[in-house]
């Protein structure tokens, strides 16, 4: 069975392996360095335990997708309770100005990218990665949506709005048109190098070196203009899943690759709205509609897929196998959401 | 004889012909009769002190007195940017540095500015092709410095000139194509023409207001920023010899440089001397090479006149003027006149040292 649970120190090597297979991505919050990742896991565990509440280093949660049969880790997903993690969270806001002259009788719409910190402190879904072969599977949906179930059960830890950054356009050669047309001029380094620094230091660190003034879209290269707000083809399944969840692309873009930034009102997320707390009971048969089921508070949180044979009022009947994966027993409270 | 004098109403035809022949690129003097007529009448009001000092437009004609024809024009605008907004880009550098990343990148950046507001501009220089050479261009340009200093109360302490930027044979400007045209759907030549017709600030208002990072522009556009058009290179060298320097501002359309100088530092002014006119009967051969001639002005605000005469006419306290020169300058014996070198050969300085008597009346201007 597929299980989503908090990342543990023992998972370090397997997570590193997953991070290593990812192509360069500045926006990734999954470090590729062992030390940085070890710290992230440690910080995540403290966050799950409810021990982290400081403003300058807010809670960050890292989940893993485990194949319970083999014990193998095949994906990761994260939530940063406050985007920017106590530092400014950088985006470009795509906006427009009308340059008009009454005297000359002309008017022209001019698109401008404004550096913005507006999304700072929103809850951020991040660190999403999964084995390529699982991209079309139920496990993919489980990994992504398990986070929303966690938010549903720990609502007070998160903010009114949730943000997700989607990876932008990157060519097969590894070059990123938006970076090449903009960021590269200010760093004198290619995307991959900047990405490495971003992993070692922080995204904010790199972002603070970006030009502070607004950028006229018309002065970007054509390839860069075409990439604005476009998801990387590889991320399209995730993009679509998030849109079904209720996330919408707004006016914000990633400052490095111009990938879309999605936003949603936390309380309107589909998983949050359609999920219900139930009490756990045994089902006789291993049949029924497959649903997401989550249980356990804080660091005991676990989420998996299960067939549901019957739901009556407050009662939920699922196979005992599912109980075991969730570490729960009859009568315990769980949360269920349709797949 | 060639004489500088204030532009007059009856110069309109000559001026129009000159403007027509000049073609594109001379934004301050487009071949538009109505506009030229307005400029002349503005200049007339200025010389007659019928307009506010800051609104002054001083236009001088170079007249061939034999042909009674205006063959050149030059001007001073008392103040720019008061009536409409005067725009430039300031070329500055932003440094992006991080020790951790080993990054230290300089980014040249254009910032929109109105820094020249309230400053005097020398402008509108145009000389008929047939009169080019022989120091006529120098006379046309440098006579203005004597005027600026003699009537400095009417002008700012600093004076500047906008130099024409790079454009090709078809009148295409690489900077305009890379920047202006992206915001204003128009050919450079057309925008340039509209500017001359007084629409420059309207166009400027359609241009980008936020700083432009130059690395985002193509090489062809970056290469022409603060460069002058080939035809303007001699004018730039002349102004540099006078002590003008690039001040970091460029034209928002074609990237041509702005050069400026403090009036009291301009070489023509520093090397000029005052004398009293002494009209002589003896005829003088005025037809000597430019480097043996000096400019002589009558120091009149309303009827400013300047011509050239041989250096040897300068005495310790007076300057000898043959009758036709005195006539052209409209001076009589005893009137004060001002002299300044026509070329930067330093001949006047040597001449003065030789002819000055200790305790004499010769005075250096400061």
């Amino acid at each position: 069975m597929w299980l989503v649970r908090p990342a543990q120190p023992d998972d370090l090597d397997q997570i590193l392996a997953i991070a290593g297979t990812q192509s360069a991505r500045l926006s990734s919050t999954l470090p590729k360095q062992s030390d940085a990742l070890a710290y992230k896991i440690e910080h995540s565990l403290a966050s799950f335990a409810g021990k982290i509440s400081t403003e300058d280093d807010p809670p960050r949660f890292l989940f893993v997708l485990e194949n319970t049969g083999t014990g193998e880790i095949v994906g990761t997903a994260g939530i940063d309770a406050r985007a920017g993690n106590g530092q400014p969270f950088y985006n470009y806001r795509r906006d427009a100005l009308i340059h008009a002259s009454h005297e000359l009788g002309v008017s022209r719409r001019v698109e401008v990218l404004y550096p913005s910190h507006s999304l700072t402190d929103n809850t951020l879904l991040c660190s999403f990665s999964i084995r390529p072969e699982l991209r079309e599977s139920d496990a993919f949906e489980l990994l992504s949506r398990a986070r929303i179930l966690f938010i549903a059960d720990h609502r007070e830890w998160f903010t009114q709005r949730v943000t997700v950054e989607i990876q932008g356009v990157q060519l097969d050669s590894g070059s990123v048109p938006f970076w090449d047309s903009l960021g590269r001029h200010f760093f004198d380094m290619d995307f991959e190098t900047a990405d490495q620094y971003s992993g070692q230091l922080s995204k904010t660190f790199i972002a603070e070196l970006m030009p502070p003034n607004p950028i006229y879209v018309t002065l970007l290269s054509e390839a860069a203009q075409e990439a604005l707000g476009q998801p990387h083809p590889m991320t399209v399944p995730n993009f679509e899943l998030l849109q079904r969840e209720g996330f919408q692309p707004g006016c914000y873009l990633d400052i490095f690759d111009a990938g879309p930034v999605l936003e949603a009102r936390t309380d309107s997320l589909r998983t949050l709205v359609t999920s219900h707390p139930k009490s756990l009971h045994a089902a006789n048969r291993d049949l029924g509609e497959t649903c997401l089921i989550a249980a356990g508070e804080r660091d005991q949180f676990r989420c998996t897929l299960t067939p549901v044979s019957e739901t009556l009022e407050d009662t939920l009947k699922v196979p005992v196998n599912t109980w075991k994966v969730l570490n729960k027993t009859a009568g315990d409270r769980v949360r269920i959401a349709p797949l | 004889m060639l004489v500088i004098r204030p532009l007059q109403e009856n110069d309109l035809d000559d001026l129009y012909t000159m403007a027509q022949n000049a073609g594109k690129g001379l934004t301050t003097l487009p071949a538009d009769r109505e506009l030229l007529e307005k400029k002349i009448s503005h200049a007339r009001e200025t010389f007659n002190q019928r307009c506010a000092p800051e609104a002054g437009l001083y236009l001088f004609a170079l007249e061939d007195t034999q042909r009674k024809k205006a063959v050149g024009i030059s001007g001073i605008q008392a103040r720019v940017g008061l009536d409409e907004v005067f725009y430039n880009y300031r070329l500055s550098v932003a440094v992006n540095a991080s020790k951790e990343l080993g990054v230290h990148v300089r980014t040249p950046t254009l910032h929109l500015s109105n820094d020249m507001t309230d400053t005097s501009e020398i402008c509108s220089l145009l000389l008929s092709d047939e009169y080019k050479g022989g120091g006529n261009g120098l006379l046309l340009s440098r006579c203005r410095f004597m005027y600026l200093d003699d009537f400095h109360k009417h002008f700012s302490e600093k004076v500047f000139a906008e130099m024409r930027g790079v454009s090709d044979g078809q009148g295409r400007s690489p900077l305009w194509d890379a920047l202006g045209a992206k915001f204003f759907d128009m050919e450079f030549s057309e925008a340039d023409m509209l500017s001359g017709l007084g629409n420059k600030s309207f166009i400027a208002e359609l241009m980008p207001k936020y700083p432009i990072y130059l690395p985002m522009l193509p090489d062809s556009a970056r290469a022409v920023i603060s460069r002058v058009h080939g035809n303007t290179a001699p004018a730039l060298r002349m102004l540099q010899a006078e002590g003008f320097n690039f001040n970091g501002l460029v034209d928002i359309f074609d990237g041509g440089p702005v050069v400026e100088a403090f009036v009291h530092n301009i070489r023509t002014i520093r090397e000029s001397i005052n004398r009293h006119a002494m009209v002589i009967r003896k005829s003088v051969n005025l037809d000597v090479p430019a480097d043996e001639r000096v400019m002589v002005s009558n120091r009149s605000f309303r009827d400013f006149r300047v011509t050239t005469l041989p250096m040897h006419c300068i005495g310790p306290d007076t300057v000898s003027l043959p009758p036709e020169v005195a006539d052209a300058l409209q001076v009589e014996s005893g009137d004060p006149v001002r002299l300044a070198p026509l070329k930067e050969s330093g001949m006047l300085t040597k001449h003065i040292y030789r002819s000055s008597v200790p305790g004499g009346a010769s005075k250096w201007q400061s």
Side-chain angles (χ1 to χ4, degrees):
Chain A
M1 286 178 74
W2 299 116
L3 169 66
V4 173
R5 58 160 174 82
Q8 302 295 329
D10 288 349
D11 302 328
L12 180 71
D13 290 339
Q14 293 197 66
I15 296 175
L16 272 179
I18 293 169
T21 58
Q22 278 190 310
S23 56
R25 173 149 198 222
L26 266 172
S27 304
S28 169
T29 44
L30 195 59
K32 291 177 184 175
Q33 292 75 29
S34 179
D35 295 354
L37 186 59
Y39 173 76
K40 189 175 169 78
I41 294 171
E42 188 188 318
H43 189 275
S44 166
L45 284 173
S47 302
F48 276 112
K51 290 176 187 159
I52 301 282
S53 58
T54 58
E55 273 185 21
D56 52 339
D57 199 5
R60 278 175 284 162
F61 306 89
L62 183 65
F63 302 84
V64 292
L65 176 65
E66 180 190 329
N67 180 341
T68 55
T70 61
E72 206 182 358
I73 305 293
V74 293
T76 62
I79 311 171
D80 287 355
R82 304 285 183 273
N85 298 312
Q87 295 183 318
F89 185 70
Y90 280 81
N91 287 113
Y92 275 125
R93 188 183 81 248
R94 188 181 192 173
D95 212 328
L97 293 171
I98 304 294
H99 285 196
S101 165
H102 295 296
E103 290 82 357
L104 299 178
V106 291
S107 143
R108 190 171 187 123
R109 187 184 171 88
V110 175
E111 287 208 48
V112 186
L113 305 181
Y114 291 91
S116 168
H117 296 153
S118 180
L119 300 179
T120 304
D121 285 347
N122 277 4
T123 290
L124 179 76
L125 303 186
C126 56
S127 305
F128 191 85
S129 62
I130 192 164
R131 285 255 182 94
E133 64 270 21
L134 294 174
R135 213 168 281 147
E136 307 286 333
S137 71
D138 289 349
F140 178 87
E141 190 170 338
L142 166 69
L143 178 58
S144 182
R145 292 178 61 199
R147 294 178 291 186
I148 315 290
L149 290 172
F150 183 78
I151 290 172
D153 278 332
H154 305 81
R155 184 63 188 83
E156 70 284 0
W157 284 354
F158 304 99
T159 56
Q160 290 301 313
R161 295 188 69 80
V162 193
T163 298
V164 200
E165 295 182 298
I166 301 291
Q167 186 179 350
V169 176
Q170 183 169 25
L171 307 179
D172 293 339
S173 61
S175 72
V176 172
F178 185 73
W179 173 263
D180 286 345
S181 184
L182 184 61
R184 189 175 56 83
H185 299 308
F186 300 88
F187 290 86
D188 201 19
M189 58 177 73
D190 59 22
F191 187 79
E192 207 168 326
T193 313
D195 180 56
Q196 280 166 17
Y197 282 119
S198 178
Q200 283 163 27
L201 302 155
S202 75
K203 188 183 173 187
T204 303
F205 185 88
I206 306 295
E208 280 168 354
L209 291 170
M210 287 290 281
N213 292 303
I215 299 297
Y216 291 105
V217 168
T218 183
L219 299 181
L220 295 170
S221 71
E222 267 180 47
Q225 290 186 39
E226 281 166 17
L228 296 179
Q230 294 303 310
H232 190 289
M234 208 177 68
T235 67
V236 167
N238 191 28
F239 188 63
E240 288 170 356
L241 174 70
L242 290 165
Q243 284 186 314
R244 285 197 298 278
E245 189 61 61
F247 284 95
Q248 294 289 332
C251 56
Y252 295 97
L253 306 174
D254 184 82
I255 62 163
F256 299 124
D257 64 15
V261 176
L262 309 183
E263 294 172 87
R265 229 168 62 83
T266 311
D267 293 324
S268 303
L269 291 172
R270 191 171 69 102
T271 301
L272 203 136
V273 171
T274 59
S275 69
H276 301 283
K278 303 270 182 193
S279 78
L280 197 59
H281 289 277
N284 302 329
R285 293 173 302 161
D286 208 7
L287 286 174
E289 192 191 348
T290 304
C291 287
L292 292 169
I293 183 167
E297 287 195 0
R298 302 187 168 194
D299 50 355
Q300 298 305 309
F301 176 82
R302 294 180 150 237
C303 185
T304 187
L305 295 165
T306 184
V308 174
S309 57
E310 203 183 335
T311 56
L312 285 168
E313 294 286 318
D314 193 43
T315 308
L316 177 76
K317 290 188 175 174
V318 297
V320 178
N321 253 349
T322 303
W323 300 13
K324 286 181 185 158
V325 168
L326 295 176
N327 277 342
K328 288 289 164 188
T329 182
D332 284 346
R333 302 299 289 174
V334 296
R335 184 177 277 272
I336 184 108
L339 196 61
Chain B
M1 197 186 335
L2 293 174
V3 180
I4 295 286
R5 58 156 176 79
L7 195 68
Q8 295 162 358
E9 279 87 354
N10 56 18
D11 291 325
L12 180 60
D13 290 337
D14 293 339
L15 187 56
Y16 182 67
T17 312
M18 272 191 282
Q20 272 186 318
N21 293 339
K24 289 167 180 168
L26 192 78
T27 53
T28 50
L29 279 183
D32 178 308
R33 281 191 83 91
E34 204 177 319
L35 191 93
L36 293 175
E37 206 171 350
K38 265 191 206 155
K39 291 217 176 216
I40 294 175
S41 90
H42 187 180
R44 292 313 310 158
E45 290 190 352
T46 304
F47 286 115
N48 291 323
Q49 293 189 277
R50 283 201 303 263
C51 71
E54 62 273 16
L57 176 66
Y58 301 83
L59 293 177
F60 305 103
L62 179 66
E63 182 185 317
D64 181 335
T65 52
Q66 274 85 45
R67 294 171 65 194
K68 297 213 175 309
K69 190 175 156 63
V71 298
I73 179 179
S74 68
I76 310 169
Q77 187 166 354
R79 297 283 192 274
V80 301
L82 301 184
D83 206 20
E84 50 180 24
V85 185
F86 195 86
Y87 289 97
N88 286 114
Y89 276 128
R90 177 165 290 284
L91 179 60
S92 71
V93 170
V95 174
N96 201 28
S98 160
K99 285 209 172 95
E100 287 91 332
L101 302 188
V103 164
H104 192 98
V105 179
R106 286 177 228 190
T107 306
T109 308
L110 297 177
H111 294 266
L112 199 63
S113 97
N114 308 122
D115 289 359
M116 295 324 292
T117 303
D118 215 17
T119 308
S120 303
E121 180 188 17
I122 54 170
C123 58
S124 308
L125 188 101
L126 185 54
L127 178 63
S128 295
D129 283 340
E130 51 193 307
Y131 285 86
K132 281 185 178 154
N136 296 337
L138 298 176
L139 171 63
L140 197 51
S141 181
R142 288 186 164 148
C143 69
R144 296 178 289 189
F145 301 136
M146 293 204 279
Y147 197 83
L148 276 171
D149 194 47
D150 272 341
F151 308 106
H152 57 86
K153 287 201 173 95
H154 295 259
F155 304 103
S156 59
E157 287 184 359
K158 207 160 65 174
V159 59
F160 75 99
E162 285 193 297
M163 309 306 291
R164 184 180 171 190
V166 176
S167 58
D168 67 12
Q170 282 79 51
R172 294 184 76 91
S173 150
L175 182 66
W176 176 263
D177 286 350
L179 187 59
K182 305 258 187 183
F183 294 88
F184 196 55
D185 200 2
M186 194 176 266
E187 295 279 319
F188 172 67
S189 50
E190 199 184 347
D192 206 31
M193 201 246 320
L194 275 174
S195 292
L197 295 174
N199 290 321
K200 183 154 184 170
S201 64
F202 298 144
I203 299 175
E205 278 149 24
L206 296 165
M207 295 278 286
K209 305 285 184 298
Y210 295 121
I212 301 300
Y213 297 112
L214 284 188
M216 294 182 68
L217 299 185
D219 291 344
S220 58
R222 294 209 307 267
V224 300
I225 285 166
S226 81
R227 293 294 162 86
V228 294
H229 191 282
N231 294 347
T232 306
L236 176 63
R237 280 197 296 275
M238 195 281 290
L239 289 174
Q240 285 170 332
E242 287 286 348
F244 280 76
N245 287 303
F246 175 47
N247 68 357
L249 298 178
V250 299
D251 184 75
I252 58 169
F253 291 174
D254 65 17
V258 174
V259 293
E260 67 173 28
F262 283 98
V263 172
H264 67 267
N265 278 337
I266 294 174
R267 195 193 56 98
T268 290
I269 291 161
R270 283 189 289 111
E271 295 186 0
S272 72
I273 53 173
N274 291 336
R275 289 287 184 273
H276 289 286
M278 185 171 71
V279 183
I280 53 167
R281 296 266 166 94
K282 204 172 65 177
S283 85
V284 171
N285 177 22
L286 297 172
D287 193 17
V288 298
D291 55 4
E292 291 173 28
R293 281 184 282 143
V294 291
M295 294 188 286
V296 51
S297 102
N298 68 352
R299 311 190 68 182
S300 163
F301 180 85
R302 274 172 173 250
D303 197 9
F304 183 65
R305 283 166 180 258
V306 189
T307 188
T308 60
L309 82 166
M311 231 173 253
H312 64 72
C313 293
I314 308 169
D317 302 314
T318 59
V319 58
S320 304
L321 303 179
E324 69 270 29
V325 173
D327 230 33
L329 293 176
Q330 297 187 342
V331 295
E332 293 170 6
S333 286
D335 284 348
V337 295
R338 188 169 191 170
L339 302 154
L342 182 61
K343 295 200 97 173
E344 50 260 29
S345 56
M347 287 291 282
L348 182 59
T349 318
K350 285 177 204 154
H351 188 81
I352 298 310
Y353 277 129
R354 208 167 50 231
S355 60
S356 288
V357 288
S362 93
K363 269 188 184 168
W364 293 93
Q365 294 291 313
S366 60

